[in-house]
Amino acid sequence: QLQLVESGGGLVQPGGSLTLSCAASGFSLDYGTIGWFRQAPGKEREGVSCFSSSDGRTYYADSVKGRFTISRDNAKNTVYLQMNSLKPEDTAVYICAAVDQIVGPAWANQIVYDYWGQGTQVTVSS
C-alpha cells in the first residue's frame, strides 16, 4: 500500500527557513513524479514544486522560484522541499503527491496525481 508522509512543518518568522520531507512507502521515488502543493485557508490548492524522477527535471511556481528547492534522496525514498526567505503568504498546509509517470508541464494540475499525503502545516509569522 502506497503511503506518503510529510513532516518538517512548523512556525517560522518571516525570512526564515524550513525543510519539508515527503517519505514514501510502497512506492519507489526512483520513477514518476513527486509534487508539492499547498493550501491556505479560503484559497484553492496550488502547485508549489515538482521533481520528475525519470528525467531529473524540477519545476517551481513563480511565487517560490529562487526561494524553494526540491530534491530527492534515493536511499531514503524521500523528497525534500527546502524553503528559504519565507513570507507570511507562504503560510499553508503543504501536501505532497505522487504519480508513477512523467507529467511534465502538467505538474501543477492536481488531477494528474494518484497519491496524496495528509499534509504538514507551515506558518510564517512574527
Side-chain angles (χ1 to χ4, degrees):
Q1 180 179 355
L2 182 137
Q3 191 174 17
L4 300 172
V5 179
E6 304 93 335
S7 61
L11 173 64
V12 63
Q13 293 186 341
S17 298
L18 279 175
T19 300
L20 306 183
S21 301
C22 174
S25 59
F27 175 82
S28 173
L29 297 183
D30 290 347
Y31 308 98
T33 301
I34 308 299
W36 279 101
F37 288 77
R38 67 185 180 185
Q39 187 162 21
K43 294 187 177 181
E44 292 187 356
R45 187 174 294 183
E46 63 173 349
V48 175
S49 182
C50 158
F51 189 102
S52 181
S53 294
S54 300
D55 57 13
R57 290 189 175 187
T58 57
Y59 300 86
Y60 297 94
D62 288 343
S63 58
V64 306
K65 279 181 181 176
R67 300 188 297 124
F68 291 11
T69 303
I70 192 169
S71 62
R72 181 190 65 181
D73 185 327
N74 289 350
K76 296 182 178 180
N77 211 33
T78 298
V79 168
Y80 301 97
L81 186 67
Q82 172 69 41
M83 306 186 296
N84 298 326
S85 303
L86 283 162
K87 306 175 181 180
E89 51 264 43
D90 294 318
T91 295
V93 175
Y94 284 70
I95 310 155
C96 66
V99 60
D100 60 354
Q101 57 184 297
I102 298 174
V103 300
W107 70 271
N109 190 338
Q110 301 177 55
I111 65 171
V112 306
Y113 294 88
D114 294 326
Y115 309 102
W116 292 84
Q118 294 298 309
T120 184
Q121 176 70 47
V122 172
T123 302
V124 185
S125 174
S126 55

